[in-house]
């Protein structure tokens, strides 16, 4: 059986979920694909944390070059988060001939051109399915089975934290501040929720969606953006009285004057498919000129749903290596 060795940058929540996905399904994957996948080296400072996975101390390194210089490693998974050093590490891995898989929307959105160009120049695969919609297979769908379409519109609820907050405000009549505290206590919201509640995370994801649907790269900082921090209970009640729900929406559409795009709260009629997407769930609604309306729904965050998307990318690359 062909062995494929993988280097993992970062064993935080998503790294652990990715490792766990492979650990749980290793034998099934091997039986299906004839590939023996193994995460052999891990860049991680915190080697002591209890993680519910089987990792031996010899797998850990504190030096990324140990992974880049390992001739037996063919795929590098980047799950450090943040733009740097993640981008530099991905570029370096590609220059060393390694294929790269990431879930890092901030790095992909900020450095899309540099990363995709570097992959082409070095003839390696660069995959980032998990960066938008966590476990939802949206990016690979756009670039494979839907690639014969001219896309008209993409509309998404692509942030679980803010969707959870808006759902609780709507269904339980609770104010923003109270729901945010509850979401933080339950681990849905980060201790510093700025990137989520100000729409920064959604803008990163819209940059990636637009690059793939319209071939149009727009830096996330250039996307008109509003978060959910100013939404009051009166706004929610007024929307409800009109038969609508407020959702934080990433939107891009083809118009006669070009591509229009924005991130912000939108009132959707309760009958709209996206209005029924609640709690931490994500959904992406796409309109293609041949396929017409499509909606993708699922868990947009969390270690295992994200690990599922990361390992899916790894496996599809590994099949090419075979
Ligand atoms: N903070 C993000 C969310 C994580 O709440 O959706 C997944 O990208």
């Amino acid at each position: 059986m062909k062995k494929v060795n993988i280097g993992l940058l970062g064993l935080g929540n998503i790294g652990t979920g990715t490792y766990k996905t492979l650990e749980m399904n290793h034998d099934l994957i091997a039986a299906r694909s004839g590939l023996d996948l193994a995460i052999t080296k891990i860049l991680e400072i915190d080697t002591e944390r209890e993680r519910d996975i089987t990792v031996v101390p010899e797998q850990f390194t504190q030096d990324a070059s140990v992974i880049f210089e390992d001739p037996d490693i063919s795929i590098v998974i980047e799950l450090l988060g943040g733009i740097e050093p993640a981008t530099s590490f991905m570029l370096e891995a590609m220059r060393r001939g390694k294929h790269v898989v990431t879930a890092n929307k901030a790095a992909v959105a900020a450095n899309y051109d540099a990363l995709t160009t570097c992959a082409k120049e070095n003839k390696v695969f660069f995959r980032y399915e998990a960066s938008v919609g966590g476990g939802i297979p949206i990016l690979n769908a756009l670039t494979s089975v839907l690639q014969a379409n001219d896309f008209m519109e993409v509309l998404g609820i692509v942030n679980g934290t803010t969707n959870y907050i808006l759902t609780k405000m709507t269904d339980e009549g609770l104010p923003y501040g109270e729901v945010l505290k509850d979401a933080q206590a339950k681990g849905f919201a980060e201790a510093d929720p700025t990137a989520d509640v100000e729409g920064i995370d959604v803008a990163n994801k819209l940059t990636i969606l637009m690059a793939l649907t319209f071939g149009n790269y727009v830096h996330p900082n250039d996307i008109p953006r509003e978060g959910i921090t100013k939404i009051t209970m009166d706004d929610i009640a007024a929307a409800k009285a009109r038969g609508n729900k407020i959702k934080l929406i990433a939107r891009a559409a083809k118009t006669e004057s070009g591509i229009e795009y924005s991130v912000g709260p939108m009132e959707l009629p309760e009958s709209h498919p996206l209005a029924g997407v609640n709690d931490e769930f994500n959904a992406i609604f796409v309109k293609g000129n041949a396929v017409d309306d499509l909606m993708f729904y699922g868990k947009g965050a969390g270690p295992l749903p994200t690990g599922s998307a990361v390992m899916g990318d790894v496996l599809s690359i590994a099949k090419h290596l075979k």
Side-chain angles (χ1 to χ4, degrees):
M1 189 172 298
K2 181 168 171 62
K3 182 117 200 257
V4 177
N5 288 346
I6 300 157
L8 175 61
L9 309 180
L11 195 61
N13 286 337
I14 303 303
T16 304
T18 297
Y19 197 97
K20 181 96 191 157
T21 301
L22 179 57
E23 198 174 73
M24 280 189 316
N25 297 333
H26 174 273
D27 294 353
L28 180 74
I29 291 170
R32 279 190 195 146
S33 65
L35 291 162
D36 175 14
L37 302 184
I39 295 175
T40 51
K41 291 204 171 93
I42 303 168
L43 178 76
E44 175 59 52
I45 296 168
D46 183 359
T47 58
E48 302 293 322
R49 195 175 128 189
E50 198 55 52
R51 288 184 172 98
D52 186 32
I53 50 175
T54 310
V55 195
V56 294
E58 295 71 41
Q59 280 170 279
F60 286 112
T61 178
Q62 263 83 67
D63 179 0
S65 63
V66 168
I67 291 175
F68 305 146
E69 286 166 13
D70 185 335
D72 294 329
I73 287 179
S74 46
I75 302 175
V76 170
I77 303 175
E78 183 283 308
L79 298 174
L80 296 167
I83 297 173
E84 284 297 349
T87 302
S88 301
F89 282 167
M90 288 192 273
L91 293 171
E92 184 57 17
M94 291 187 217
R95 287 188 202 110
R96 304 287 186 126
K98 317 283 187 210
H99 307 284
V100 171
V101 175
T102 185
N104 187 336
K105 61 261 171 167
V108 176
N111 295 305
Y112 185 80
D113 284 337
L115 288 162
T116 52
T117 304
C118 186
K120 274 184 206 140
E121 283 172 359
N122 291 283
K123 297 185 173 58
V124 293
F125 291 104
F126 173 51
R127 304 289 286 265
Y128 42 91
E129 176 62 67
S131 65
V132 179
I136 303 172
I138 177 66
L139 304 187
N140 285 309
L142 290 171
T143 55
S144 61
V145 283
L146 298 176
Q147 63 186 317
N149 284 268
D150 186 10
F151 294 106
M152 304 290 114
E153 186 178 30
V154 56
L155 215 56
I157 293 175
V158 287
N159 185 271
T161 306
T162 47
N163 202 37
Y164 175 85
I165 293 172
L166 290 174
T167 302
K168 292 281 170 253
M169 288 175 76
T170 305
D171 293 354
E172 293 174 26
L174 298 169
Y176 169 78
E178 201 175 307
V179 182
L180 174 62
K181 268 195 209 133
D182 168 60
Q184 285 171 316
K186 288 187 174 139
F188 287 130
E190 305 273 349
D192 177 1
T194 314
D196 290 320
V197 299
E198 297 295 355
I200 298 165
D201 178 75
V202 177
N204 286 332
K205 291 164 178 168
L206 184 58
T207 287
I208 299 169
L209 283 171
M210 276 199 286
L212 296 182
T213 43
F214 303 120
N216 190 31
Y217 174 77
V218 180
H219 193 284
N221 293 347
D222 297 328
I223 295 179
R225 166 176 65 78
E226 195 186 320
I228 62 162
T229 55
K230 294 193 194 111
I231 295 175
T232 63
M233 295 179 61
D234 286 346
D235 296 330
I236 301 261
K240 218 177 210 171
R242 289 188 281 269
N244 295 338
K245 273 190 183 175
I246 299 179
K247 293 287 182 188
L248 181 61
I249 300 290
R251 176 170 185 266
K254 200 171 258 184
T255 69
E256 280 177 10
S257 50
I259 312 290
E260 280 178 2
Y261 44 86
S262 62
V263 167
M266 253 172 93
E267 266 190 45
L268 299 175
E270 273 167 18
S271 57
H272 192 287
L274 286 175
V277 177
N278 289 321
D279 300 316
E280 73 276 30
F281 280 86
N282 282 197
I284 298 111
F285 179 90
V286 184
K287 191 180 190 72
N289 68 344
V291 73
D292 208 358
D293 293 350
L294 276 177
M295 194 161 100
F296 297 80
Y297 171 87
K299 292 202 167 157
L304 286 176
T306 311
S308 157
V310 170
M311 283 314 302
D313 275 349
V314 167
L315 194 48
S316 66
I317 294 171
K319 283 179 177 169
H320 282 280
L321 305 183
K322 204 169 111 181

